[in-house]
Amino acid sequence: MARSLVHGCVCWARTGLSGPRMDALISGAVGMMKRTVLTSSAVTPASSLRALRFDNRALRCLPVEPGDGQDEDAARSRPVPGFCFSPVHPAPVHSPRVVALSQPALALLGLHLGEDEEEEAALYFSGNRLLPGSQPVAHCYCGHQFGSFAGQLGDGAAMYLGEVINPAGERWEMQLKGAGLTPYSRQADGRKVLRSSIREFLCSEAMFHLGVPTTRAASCVTSDSTVIRDIFYDGHPKKEKCTIVLRVAPTFLRFGSFEIFKPTDEFTGRHGPSVNRNDIRIQMLDYVISTFYPDIQEKYAESKTERNAAFFREITRRTARMAAEWQCVGFCHGVLNTDNMSIVGVTIDYGPFGFLDRYDPEHICNGSDNMGRYAYDKQPEICKWNLGKLAEALVPELPLDLSQKLIEEEYDVEFQKHYLQKMRKKLGLIHLELEEDAKLISDFLDTMNLTGSDFTNTFRVLSKFSGNAGDIDGFLNVIIEQCASVEELKVVFKPKMDPRQLTMMLMLAQSNPQLFALIGSKVNINQELERIAKSEKLEQSSSEDIMNDNKKHWEEWLKKYSARLEKEEQGNAGDGHSLFAEREKIMNSNNPAHILRNYIAQNAIDAAEKGDFTEVRRVLKMLENPYEEDESFCEVSEASPEEPLEAAACRATTVPKIPYNSKPPLWASELCVT
């Protein structure tokens, strides 16, 4: 804490204050430091929300627009040059009430709230009432969206509340998402709705308990206030309840935070609002490195260039490891713009996301991503591309040739290293690291793709395989249950284009390539042609044909896997039984039994939209123990709505009871998130 206050004094000094005001600030800091030293050994958890200890260092270190955020102009949409934050106050909502609280996330703040405290929590976590010491502001940032520079973006629906120092001395930033208008709201209302807020709340916590670096979600609060949303832009808007999520992270600064200095982009003609303000870029680098990378700050205190290079090397490595974790749990981010990339290497901003059901490397979880830029298999390369944009944004404080060299030297090596380490554990390869393992893993994924196997469950059931070649025939029936049925595959490969539309696109591609490039792509056309070919083949195939093909594919891979496991045994002195038990334990602690599948989230949303939050809380409890097979989480809600869901997709009118950890029902493949 004392060290934090020293940094605070340095930040104040950089603001340019002098004279009596500066003396008063330093005197106050020193006094606070003395009190901290005297009382640090007696720190106790916050007894209530109002006892949280705020220390809003970001607002001391980085430029904030003048004002208190309460005048009529505070939330007016406008360019904000020369500042990193704009004061703004949350807009109250009617009758706020708690949908769910995450006790593990609240514990980061030193809080534990019981049911009798939910009413008070709803007031503070909706923004209707401000916590003592909080200073709500919106953050200014830019970003490359779907590959193009979008200019000023910023917190259009989020508000920094402040930074809490918890009883362990850790610093956590609190942020409300969906609390109303800010200067960065553009053509929006600053609100989020129940369905998207539940998804973000649940996924933030699911990712943490899976072991993936992530921001956290401490609460989800809904209200009787409503906004109009046309979810699929199809002319069918409806009223939805305003809902607010309390997010917690070390910081919500992102790659795009440094893009506010970007000069005019040659492709879009846009520029950052603080172009030519290298003084602010220096302030931001000093703040980020001293606060979140203190070891680097201390080690390279004498050389800014070496310090900045060490910071960039570390964020490159963290980003690579984060991307590897995504791939290993089958997570798809959906909107990997530079403004959705954390400066401390954690997953940030859960908009259209999804976990793989049937393994498809080209899976696109965002219905708005028509070109498939952020498909599952492209995520590692996109993260690397985004690092390149961060590198550009750090010039001249870090020469571009140096940062680009660091990306090439560090990113792929770190990604592959972490990915292979994790995948070996998922396959139970724990005693030997062989070069051939990468090929075995690749073949495993190819086999899942060929057979339409469920990503999560196939890894999980593999722990039941003894490893003996003689047991392959008996195990085939277990793993075949995770393969896609003919009915599932017919839904998956159903052509998306009308035949006349496809014919027109093919003709246009030949006759007028320039016009074709504006409305389509060769990749999309090729995918549609492949879809048609697979659909026609499926029409001619029986369930028995599909099953026989699947058995053939899995038998071939299991023989390779069995041979590899035999090498594990040869290199270890333990008996076969103990090795199998060890392997099973390692595999089950790295392959989740439960993930946040779209259909599970949707069932919770359906119930919540009818005023029943029980399912949201039940799913949250399940996600807090993803590696445990708990029978109390055996079944989802029995039936779906009588009418199609505008919030997600059309689906069948009845849903039988199925286990949470089963393959998803057929209607789940129709769900669409935009």
Side-chain angles (χ1 to χ4, degrees), residues 31-303:
M32 190 183 300
M33 195 183 303
K34 290 178 179 178
R35 291 193 298 274
T36 300
V37 171
L38 290 172
T39 62
S40 60
S41 60
V43 171
T44 57
S47 58
S48 72
L49 285 163
R50 294 178 298 280
L52 291 173
R53 295 190 299 139
F54 280 88
D55 177 45
N56 306 328
R57 186 164 188 258
L59 305 191
R60 296 197 302 272
C61 295
L62 300 173
V64 183
E65 261 195 309
D68 61 6
Q70 299 189 67
D71 59 86
E72 292 182 3
D73 237 18
R76 177 178 55 84
S77 179
R78 62 187 185 276
V80 180
F83 298 99
C84 295
F85 296 101
S86 300
V88 64
H89 272 236
V93 291
H94 297 296
S95 303
R97 53 197 175 276
V98 170
V99 175
L101 299 174
S102 168
Q103 296 298 346
L106 287 169
L108 298 175
L109 306 173
L111 291 172
H112 179 85
L113 303 178
E115 289 185 13
D116 59 330
E117 297 170 284
E118 285 192 3
E119 186 175 340
E120 183 183 39
L123 291 173
Y124 285 112
F125 296 161
S126 65
N128 278 23
R129 189 180 292 173
L130 284 180
L131 292 162
S134 65
Q135 295 175 266
V137 296
H139 175 45
C140 180
Y141 54 81
C142 294
H144 281 77
Q145 299 193 317
F146 290 90
S148 298
F149 185 66
Q152 178 179 293
L153 298 169
D155 285 336
M159 295 180 192
Y160 163 106
L161 291 182
E163 299 158 59
V164 168
I165 307 297
N166 71 10
E170 299 167 335
R171 177 182 297 274
W172 293 98
E173 179 180 325
M174 297 175 65
Q175 184 189 79
L176 291 181
K177 186 171 182 178
L181 284 167
T182 79
Y184 312 105
S185 297
R186 294 181 294 172
Q187 297 173 335
D189 49 32
R191 292 297 188 189
K192 293 297 178 181
V193 297
L194 187 59
R195 56 185 165 79
S196 61
S197 298
I198 286 175
R199 284 174 57 82
E200 169 142 11
F201 172 76
L202 290 176
C203 196
S204 299
E205 293 307 280
M207 291 286 273
F208 170 76
H209 292 289
L210 284 169
V212 181
T214 180
T215 56
R216 304 293 298 277
S219 70
C220 181
V221 175
T222 194
S223 70
D224 287 339
S225 298
T226 59
V227 288
I228 302 293
R229 291 289 186 268
D230 185 354
I231 298 130
F232 291 110
Y233 311 103
D234 59 0
H236 295 90
K238 73 168 189 176
K239 287 185 178 181
E240 298 194 65
K241 292 184 181 296
C242 296
T243 306
I244 301 97
V245 173
L246 174 65
R247 307 201 297 183
V248 179
T251 181
F252 285 90
L253 293 184
R254 53 207 64 210
F255 290 10
S257 301
F258 285 93
E259 292 191 285
I260 63 172
F261 315 111
K262 181 176 171 58
T264 302
D265 184 78
E266 61 178 315
F267 300 107
T268 65
R270 300 186 182 101
H271 58 78
S274 296
V275 62
N276 297 324
R277 291 299 304 271
N278 194 50
D279 57 322
I280 301 177
R281 178 170 20 225
I282 293 171
Q283 278 182 266
M284 195 179 297
L285 267 170
D286 288 347
Y287 166 70
V288 166
I289 298 173
S290 64
T291 307
F292 308 111
Y293 299 87
D295 292 343
I296 290 175
Q297 174 69 30
E298 187 174 343
K299 184 175 181 180
Y300 298 99
E302 302 303 317
S303 172

Side-chain angles (χ1 to χ4, degrees), residues 356 359-365 372 375-377 449 527 530:
L356 292 176
Y359 177 67
D360 174 11
E362 297 177 351
H363 176 70
I364 302 166
C365 69
Y376 167 76
D377 63 345
N449 191 23
Q527 288 176 342
E530 288 177 12

Side-chain angles (χ1 to χ4, degrees), residues 357 454-462 479 482 592-595 597 660-664:
D357 289 324
D454 186 89
F455 182 85
T456 299
N457 289 359
T458 304
F459 272 110
R460 184 77 180 187
V461 301
L462 201 60
I479 205 163
Q482 301 306 326
H594 306 287
I595 55 168
R597 298 180 188 266
Y660 270 129
N661 61 354
S662 73
K663 286 170 52 186

Side-chain angles (χ1 to χ4, degrees), residues 371-382:
M371 306 299 286
R373 176 179 174 83
Y374 300 139
Y376 167 76
D377 63 345
K378 294 180 181 177
Q379 291 185 138
E381 196 60 31
I382 288 295

Side-chain angles (χ1 to χ4, degrees), residues 605-624:
I605 291 167
D606 292 344
E609 288 184 333
K610 296 172 185 174
D612 180 5
F613 306 141
T614 306
E615 187 69 7
V616 176
R617 299 181 184 197
R618 190 165 176 254
V619 171
L620 175 64
K621 194 70 177 174
M622 176 195 77
L623 297 172
E624 289 175 355

